[in-house]
Amino acid sequence: MLFDVGAPIADRKAPGGPIETRWDRRRFEARLVNPANRRRLTVIVVGTGLAGASAAATLGEAGYRVRSYCYQDSPRRAHSIAAQGGINAAKNYRNDGDSVHRLFYDTVKGGDFRSRESNVHRLAQVSVEIIDQCVAQGVPFAREYGGLLDNRSFGGAQVSRTFYARGQTGQQLLLGAYQALERQVAAGTVTMHARHEMLDLIVVDGRARGIVVRDLVTGEVTTELADAVVLATGGYGNVFFLSTNAKGCNVTATWRAHRRGALFANPCFTQIHPTCIPQSGPHQSKLTLMSESLRNDGRVWVPLRAGDDRAPGDIPEAERDYYLERMYPAFGNLVPRDIASRAAKNVCDEGRGIGDGVYLDFADAIVRLGRAAVEERYGNLFEMYQRITGEDPYEVPMRIYPAVHYTMGGLWVDYDLQSTIRGLFVIGEANFSDHGANRLGASALMQGLADGYFVLPNTINDYLADGPFPTVDPTNAEVVDALASVTERIERLLALKGDRTVDSFHRELGRIMWDHCGMERTDDGLRKAIGEIRSLREEFWARVRVPGDGVSLNQALERAGRVADFFELAELMCVDALHRTESCGGHFRAESQTPDGEALRDDGHFSYVAAWEWTGDVPVLHREDLEFEYVTPSQRSYK
Amino acid sequence: MESSGPSVGDVVTVSAVRSTVGQKTLMAVSGILLVLFLVAHMIGNLKVFVGAGSFDHYAHWLRAIGAPLLPHSGYLWIQRAVLTAALVAHVWAATALALRARAARPVGYAHRRPVQGSYAARTMRWGGVIILLFAIYHVLDLTTGHLNPVGDRAHPYGNVVADFAPERWYVTLFYTLAVLAVGFHLRHGLFSAVRTLGQRTAAGEQRARLVALLASVGLCAGYLSVPFAVMVGLVG
Amino acid sequence: MNLTLRIWRQNGPDAKGRLVAYRVTDVSPDMSFLEVLDMLNERLTMEGAEPVAFDHDCREGICGACGVVINGVAHGPEKATTTCQLHMRHFRDGDTIDVEPWRARAFPVVKDLVVDRGALDRVIEAGGYVSAPTGSAPDAHALPVPKADADAAFEAATCIGCGACVAACPNGSAMLFTAAKVTHLGRLPQGQPERQSRVLDMVAAHDDAGFGGCTNTGECTAVCPKGIPLETIGQLNRDYLQASRRPARSRS
């Protein structure tokens, strides 16, 4: 047996009633904390991306004592900074029929009916306030000549609801949140601890009461105690080694919380982005995303014949296969991310790929629009491509390939964003809540800021209203145990002195995951992967070599701890993918497809959130059934 | 949203002279005063081409400015006081900023930086020292006459002619180097002063750089014309 | 390609550092500069030596974490490029390449090529924000912003805070960084109420951190991966002089 089934769970915080009124009701029913008491309550926020920075700033403004931690050298460097496209909001500034309800509907549908209606509706409601907040902070969104905000349609949406700042929306939003955070640091409500990594969660009497952190510069491991803990530590795409995530992105904070009792939901839901720059060789350390907007004018093709190694210009039109246009005449090159990704994989598996990649050709667009127009639209992307590959996309077609980009799964949270450990809140990509089995473009930034600015600062009050909680003695058994387990693990890693580097293990793990738990998953493949992961993990704990010591900056040691946790997560991802025998969103099971080869959902058996409990032995599955009152599940079709 | 830019006069009230921006403002304002003097001085110098009478008359006239309200040489002493104050401020700010810059990089790069900024920009400090040394010599030579072969304060034209006589080629050489140093100093200094006082557009930067270049070339040409004219016997 | 890297090794902030030469072989022209360091570190680890510590994160030129001085130039020879986006095709087989950390008193070396850039955070903390507490915002369209102002603000706001400007400046000044934020917020109507206190306080924090003063040499903008123009410093100077005309505008 790979897993056990436990009791079902339910979200007990979401109020009933008409969906439009639920967030108001929850805000009213949640208890408040007297401003004088807030000064006596300490909240730890781990991570300083959009969710973490905005939450820490807002909690600081409310008067809580906030301690903020990040592994980077500055809170401004969290990986939210790399988001390119934009942020959705149901402003309907274009009068094109958008509304809160439509954004809600699109998001539930886009998530392939594997998210909660209540959460998603709240997200759509709050989206409107996010834009106001960011503009007030001085975020320089793109504007039109009249001085009003510009919008664009993104990721195949039929309305223009995406706000953007050139191709650097994530950067600008994060800098807004970072500046708000620094303002609170100056005000003394937030203390910032950069270059600190959370390595364990401290749970006392069933409540999250602190964290164990390592000062990455001095190596000192300490316990930090508080009244509540907020994790805003992002996603786990780096389990694949190669992804569009930053090199430092890791699962350790959420995984350690999972091992302390927080359920991990839908770990197999990962998003693979179709337009990334392919690997150039075995040295590749990360993959770079190119904006999806390229598919608006570029045409995707591969040679008709397998093994055709002629230069692209030498392949005549008749011997090219514009496979997306052929298979999906209605949407053509603009099919959703998961479909475009899988199609690329399939043609490469047939041996028709260009190495690991397919062509994205602008030759027709240059003829049709003129080079100047193409340059105007995509100039900066072409430049980026040329910088990385050394090839000129005006002359030679681009090569693209899918890459892991975002993880929809994460720690299970209720409507209040509280995990199954009391006092442990999880926000942003680190939780599982809003995107179901697939995230829509420009929705990650929206969710991160919704959680951090507006949702958590309201819901956490209800929990903190019971505080301040009794002071935790640093000699308390749970605290001592957490500290000891962290230091023991560090010592063990350093003592191994084996004959393989951390990265060699990480690469190998990534390969297993990409091959068997990537774009297409099968029963056989997943079982094989689980076996391989287990033996590789054993090998890791016998043969890894971590140079240096634990009392100074030791980047190999940092990576070793993260990879050790990725091993455990990887296995759970495979178990989750194996148990979910349907295809939905980013999760494609080869056994569950329509005769045309499209993803086939199985609402009868799988309309639930799979929340996994850590037992130390086989994981235990707790199901949270999903109910759809407002959006009726339907099968997607892009033919 | 934009209000009018600050005028040079505002700077006097800057309370933050201790800040780096305040110090460079001081440099900019004092530098501009010194440049204005250089322009006036050069125009005066060119009288040498009109003839000995005109040149000497000009020198005497300088002492008579403001009479009878001001005593003899009164204006000149005011101007000297202002210039000395500007010079002291300029050198003080430069020294303070240079010391600060040195402290800001205690360990230097092992690999020498290749050239990126202009030669003029990188030689401001040593160029400034050369100019200062020259200015001291120049005053002792042609103002007080101590180092001049003639040293007749009543007939400056003769002093100048004697100074740049062909056999005293080394004086001309030193003078030329110093004037070129002034040119380089102003080519970056003038642009930098304008930037420091709030010039903040790309087009304005181009204009400022052009003006700085023209001013530098013009001043160099004006100043060098005198000794070379003496040397080749055009003035004598 | 085969290269010789002469890399600055320094054990800690107070330790003495030196350049150590390493030979790296089989470098692919498609590798990024950081991937060469990765490769070297894999080898050093297996040889029982300490790998070279260097900062990096996103490896796509936006987080600002990476940055080393390559042959005397911050971020290396390519214009508008961060170290992570610098590829080896810009070097020649047999080259000897010097790799040093950002050097500034305000950026003490943590280890090898890693420096502490916390001083930049302190400059922002001093006033690099608009005081707009969550929940207080009017509708985003309540205040139109002329496109020219919005675009200019954006240009300045693209600063990634990598610190290359400080590394390149002959005076060790962070004025380009400071000016970028002053210009970003100063060009927007939302930034007006705090415009004067912002510039005074940020310059004071800049000076307190031990950065040098600006002399408008432009070395900073030559290495800036985002091409922040030198004009932003003119804007800062202008704002500073205006704010200084009437004293006591600073918050502190």
Side-chain angles (χ1 to χ4, degrees):
Chain A
M1 268 307 280
L2 286 167
F3 66 93
D4 284 332
V5 177
I9 53 164
D11 170 16
R12 298 186 202 292
K13 297 283 177 45
I19 198 159
E20 306 78 24
T21 63
R22 288 179 193 168
W23 178 226
D24 277 349
R25 278 188 57 190
R26 181 63 196 139
R27 275 194 292 182
F28 179 70
E29 285 166 5
R31 291 167 299 162
L32 299 175
V33 179
N34 178 327
N37 274 350
R38 292 183 204 156
R39 285 194 291 277
R40 296 162 53 212
L41 289 158
T42 306
V43 181
I44 283 172
V45 181
V46 187
T48 57
L50 286 180
S54 59
T58 306
L59 292 172
E61 287 160 6
Y64 292 111
R65 278 199 309 217
V66 180
R67 290 216 296 273
S68 173
Y69 298 84
C70 67
Y71 73 77
Q72 297 90 345
D73 74 320
S74 163
R76 67 181 289 152
R77 308 204 196 284
H79 196 55
S80 304
I81 200 131
Q84 299 172 2
I87 177 167
N88 286 330
K91 280 285 197 185
N92 194 28
Y93 281 158
R94 286 303 176 89
N95 195 28
D96 56 3
D98 198 13
S99 63
V100 166
H101 197 83
R102 187 175 297 280
L103 177 55
F104 155 69
Y105 177 90
D106 288 353
T107 307
V108 171
K109 181 169 175 244
D112 222 0
F113 307 96
R114 292 294 174 264
S115 49
R116 288 189 199 129
E117 284 190 335
S118 296
N119 282 59
V120 176
H121 196 278
R122 173 177 65 189
L123 177 66
Q125 281 175 296
V126 165
S127 70
V128 175
E129 294 172 69
I130 295 171
I131 303 302
D132 300 341
Q133 178 63 32
C134 294
V135 166
Q137 288 170 342
V139 171
F141 283 119
R143 286 180 184 266
E144 298 178 314
Y145 283 99
L148 300 180
L149 295 166
D150 194 15
N151 291 123
R152 61 185 175 195
S153 133
F154 197 81
Q158 288 169 299
V159 292
S160 290
R161 62 160 78 100
T162 304
F163 295 78
Y164 66 99
R166 202 89 46 101
Q168 283 150 260
T169 317
Q171 182 199 26
Q172 294 309 316
L173 294 174
L174 183 63
L175 291 181
Y178 157 73
Q179 287 161 204
L181 176 68
E182 290 297 339
R183 177 172 164 258
Q184 291 310 300
V185 171
T189 61
V190 178
T191 52
M192 188 65 230
H193 305 271
R195 288 201 204 271
H196 278 69
E197 181 166 30
M198 167 178 164
L199 294 177
D200 210 343
L201 179 73
I202 297 169
V203 182
V204 179
D205 298 332
R207 291 179 191 273
R209 292 305 304 275
I211 58 175
V212 180
V213 291
R214 180 164 181 271
D215 179 332
L216 299 181
V217 174
T218 65
E220 195 186 1
V221 179
T222 52
T223 54
E224 307 288 324
L225 301 170
D227 292 285
V229 175
V230 179
L231 298 187
T233 51
Y236 48 85
N238 270 351
V239 70
F240 292 88
F241 185 73
L242 287 179
S243 80
T244 66
N245 285 7
K247 291 297 285 176
C249 292
N250 67 85
V251 77
T252 291
T254 46
W255 191 255
R256 292 284 127 191
H258 172 58
R259 290 180 55 124
R260 294 278 169 196
L263 301 189
F264 207 109
N266 299 337
C268 79
F269 288 167
T270 48
Q271 182 168 77
I272 294 180
H273 198 289
T275 53
C276 299
I277 300 177
Q279 279 195 61
S280 65
H283 54 265
Q284 191 90 23
S285 60
K286 83 150 265 160
L287 297 169
T288 304
L289 180 83
M290 306 263 291
S291 169
E292 219 167 359
S293 62
L294 288 169
R295 288 197 282 143
N296 287 336
D297 289 305
R299 297 180 70 194
V300 177
W301 66 275
V302 290
L304 209 48
R305 179 165 57 80
D308 189 341
D309 54 5
R310 287 175 291 177
D314 297 340
I315 302 179
E317 204 60 25
E319 291 173 50
R320 298 176 176 192
D321 180 13
Y322 295 89
Y323 58 90
L324 287 178
E325 297 169 22
R326 173 174 57 80
M327 292 158 67
Y328 307 96
F331 279 71
N333 294 298
L334 291 171
V335 290
R337 289 177 179 180
D338 54 333
I339 292 176
S341 297
R342 212 166 49 247
K345 177 190 186 319
N346 289 340
V347 294
C348 289
D349 288 351
E350 291 164 14
R352 300 196 287 143
I354 297 85
D356 251 354
V358 298
Y359 289 126
L360 179 62
D361 199 335
F362 285 83
D364 286 353
I366 291 171
V367 170
R368 179 166 46 90
L369 304 164
R371 185 181 158 127
V374 171
E375 206 169 319
E376 162 82 27
R377 280 184 207 177
Y378 307 110
N380 57 340
L381 294 168
F382 279 31
E383 218 177 276
M384 177 171 90
Y385 181 85
Q386 186 162 15
R387 188 179 307 139
I388 294 173
T389 63
E391 290 172 2
D392 179 3
Y394 294 103
E395 303 294 329
V396 188
M398 283 185 177
R399 286 171 301 113
I400 55 165
Y401 199 63
V404 174
H405 177 52
Y406 187 88
T407 53
M408 281 74 69
L411 289 183
W412 185 91
V413 289
D414 61 18
Y415 190 71
D416 281 0
L417 305 181
Q418 186 166 209
S419 72
T420 46
I421 299 174
R422 279 187 294 164
L424 177 69
F425 292 79
V426 190
I427 59 179
E429 190 180 348
N431 74 25
F432 89 106
S433 70
D434 295 347
H435 304 298
N438 176 48
R439 178 178 66 73
L440 290 181
S443 283
L445 303 184
M446 171 173 70
Q447 185 226 339
L449 290 181
D451 286 1
Y453 281 131
F454 297 106
V455 180
L456 177 87
N458 280 293
T459 58
I460 200 171
N461 294 330
D462 188 60
Y463 175 77
L464 291 171
D466 286 330
F469 301 102
T471 307
V472 176
D473 190 331
T475 61
N476 181 303
E478 278 104 336
V479 180
V480 172
D481 166 64
L483 186 62
S485 72
V486 167
T487 47
E488 271 165 30
R489 198 162 92 125
I490 291 171
E491 281 161 16
R492 198 174 148 206
L493 284 168
L494 288 167
L496 282 169
K497 299 270 178 256
D499 59 359
R500 281 189 65 177
T501 62
V502 176
D503 278 7
S504 77
F505 281 105
H506 196 175
R507 270 180 204 280
E508 195 174 334
L509 173 67
R511 193 73 231 180
I512 297 170
M513 292 301 285
W514 180 248
D515 286 344
H516 301 300
C517 199
M519 277 181 279
E520 186 172 301
R521 296 140 180 201
T522 63
D523 188 278
D524 277 356
L526 289 164
R527 286 180 195 279
K528 185 161 166 254
I530 291 170
E532 288 177 2
I533 292 165
R534 284 179 180 171
S535 60
L536 189 63
R537 187 176 67 216
E538 269 174 40
E539 195 183 330
F540 173 87
W541 282 106
R543 289 182 57 191
V544 76
R545 179 184 194 90
V546 182
D549 57 37
V551 294
S552 64
L553 182 70
N554 186 339
Q555 294 171 320
L557 177 63
E558 295 164 25
R559 288 201 298 275
R562 294 167 191 165
V563 173
D565 289 330
F566 277 136
F567 274 115
E568 296 178 4
L569 166 80
E571 189 175 329
L572 185 66
M573 286 172 72
C574 291
V575 170
D576 186 42
L578 188 64
H579 109 280
R580 192 175 281 275
T581 55
E582 66 162 352
S583 296
C584 63
H587 171 62
F588 186 83
R589 279 292 296 264
E591 299 90 342
S592 179
Q593 47 184 312
T594 64
D596 303 336
E598 299 305 327
L600 183 64
R601 237 178 33 239
D602 180 359
D603 292 335
H605 293 96
F606 290 102
S607 186
Y608 63 77
V609 173
W612 298 92
E613 180 189 351
W614 171 268
T615 61
D617 190 15
V618 290
V620 175
L621 170 67
H622 300 270
R623 295 190 179 97
E624 180 201 340
D625 283 328
L626 293 168
E627 285 156 30
F628 294 93
E629 297 172 62
Y630 293 87
V631 186
T632 316
S634 58
Q635 196 72 34
R636 296 189 308 173
S637 172
Y638 294 95
K639 287 283 173 185
Chain B
M1 194 160 52
E2 282 307 323
S3 53
S4 62
S7 67
V8 171
D10 294 326
V11 172
V12 182
T13 60
V14 167
S15 59
V17 187
R18 285 208 314 263
S19 81
T20 54
V21 179
Q23 283 168 358
K24 48 189 235 166
T25 307
L26 197 60
M27 282 197 75
V29 174
S30 55
I32 286 173
L33 285 174
L34 292 168
V35 171
L36 291 176
F37 164 72
L38 283 183
V39 171
H41 184 29
M42 182 194 77
I43 292 170
N45 281 4
L46 294 180
K47 291 218 174 247
V48 89
F49 290 105
V50 183
S54 173
F55 189 74
D56 289 350
H57 177 264
Y58 161 70
H60 295 305
W61 170 75
L62 284 177
R63 283 158 180 78
I65 293 176
L69 258 91
L70 292 174
H72 183 69
S73 291
Y75 165 76
L76 216 51
W77 280 107
I78 293 171
Q79 179 177 303
R80 284 167 182 162
V82 171
L83 287 176
T84 308
L87 189 68
V88 168
H90 201 73
V91 171
W92 173 77
T95 310
L97 284 167
L99 290 176
R100 202 181 159 79
R102 178 178 288 196
R105 177 159 299 132
V107 181
Y109 290 106
H111 190 111
R112 275 181 68 87
R113 284 177 315 122
V115 177
Q116 292 201 64
S118 70
Y119 179 78
R122 288 179 298 114
T123 53
M124 289 301 277
R125 283 178 189 139
W126 286 113
V129 171
I130 291 172
I131 295 165
L132 180 64
L133 292 175
F134 171 75
I136 293 168
Y137 163 77
H138 190 62
V139 167
L140 293 175
D141 177 10
L142 288 169
T143 307
T144 67
H146 286 92
L147 297 180
N148 192 272
V150 179
D152 179 359
R153 294 180 65 174
H155 300 97
Y157 184 87
N159 296 343
V160 170
V161 171
D163 222 8
F164 297 120
E167 63 275 16
R168 280 168 58 85
W169 56 271
Y170 47 90
V171 171
T172 311
L173 180 68
F174 183 35
Y175 184 90
T176 306
L177 288 177
V179 168
L180 290 177
V182 170
F184 275 113
H185 199 75
L186 294 193
R187 202 192 137 196
H188 178 70
L190 271 177
F191 153 72
S192 184
V194 174
R195 171 57 41 90
T196 296
L197 295 176
Q199 185 286 315
R200 44 77 199 257
T201 62
E205 175 173 332
Q206 290 217 314
R207 276 198 301 277
R209 286 192 190 275
L210 185 67
V211 167
L213 181 66
L214 292 178
S216 305
V217 171
L219 281 171
C220 281
Y223 276 111
L224 289 181
S225 63
V226 177
F228 282 94
V230 173
M231 225 167 100
V232 301
L234 215 66
V235 170
Chain C
M1 296 164 77
N2 298 322
L3 302 166
T4 303
L5 298 180
R6 299 204 311 152
I7 301 176
W8 185 261
R9 303 302 308 261
Q10 183 173 341
N11 259 330
D14 304 319
K16 214 171 147 47
R18 65 198 175 94
L19 283 175
V20 178
Y22 299 97
R23 186 118 181 92
V24 284
T25 52
D26 293 329
V27 173
S28 152
D30 287 329
M31 281 181 166
S32 74
F33 198 84
L34 297 186
E35 284 167 351
V36 176
L37 293 182
D38 286 343
M39 187 171 80
L40 172 65
N41 279 345
E42 291 284 285
R43 197 188 83 202
L44 292 177
T45 303
M46 292 319 297
E47 288 171 355
E50 276 260 330
V52 179
F54 64 96
D55 260 327
H56 65 100
D57 205 16
C58 78
R59 296 207 179 187
E60 48 187 283
I62 192 75
C63 75
C66 71
V68 290
V69 173
I70 299 166
N71 286 342
V73 181
H75 287 309
E78 286 293 291
K79 288 272 174 219
T81 302
T82 54
T83 305
C84 64
Q85 298 264 282
L86 174 67
H87 286 74
M88 300 315 289
R89 63 182 78 96
H90 302 296
F91 296 89
R92 280 195 310 264
D93 187 32
D95 277 356
T96 296
I97 304 170
D98 286 357
V99 188
E100 298 178 74
W102 289 171
R103 296 200 186 280
R105 182 161 70 106
F107 291 169
V109 171
V110 173
K111 188 176 185 175
D112 298 339
L113 303 172
V114 176
V115 299
D116 178 357
R117 287 167 290 193
L120 297 183
D121 289 324
R122 291 195 291 281
V123 171
I124 297 296
E125 205 183 293
Y129 48 76
V130 173
S131 296
T134 306
S136 59
D139 186 87
H141 271 181
L143 192 56
V145 180
K147 184 168 165 58
D149 287 330
D151 287 350
F154 176 84
E155 286 301 335
T158 56
C159 166
I160 59 175
C162 63
C165 46
V166 179
C169 176
N171 308 307
S173 175
M175 207 53 85
L176 190 68
F177 169 84
T178 310
K181 191 48 63 189
V182 164
T183 304
H184 160 209
L185 297 175
R187 283 300 288 263
L188 294 171
Q190 290 82 5
Q192 296 313 305
E194 293 164 300
R195 185 168 172 179
Q196 301 206 329
S197 63
R198 177 181 307 120
V199 67
L200 293 177
D201 291 343
M202 287 180 74
V203 168
H206 168 277
D207 292 356
D208 283 349
F211 292 114
C214 169
T215 52
N216 300 318
T217 58
E219 299 281 349
C220 51
T221 189
V223 299
C224 175
K226 296 295 152 185
I228 306 285
L230 203 57
E231 294 106 74
T232 53
I233 295 181
Q235 181 70 55
L236 175 141
N237 293 334
R238 174 179 284 247
D239 284 4
Y240 190 88
L241 295 184
Q242 269 175 7
S244 301
R245 271 196 283 180
R246 277 152 291 173
R249 289 297 183 79
S250 154
R251 290 157 175 277
S252 46

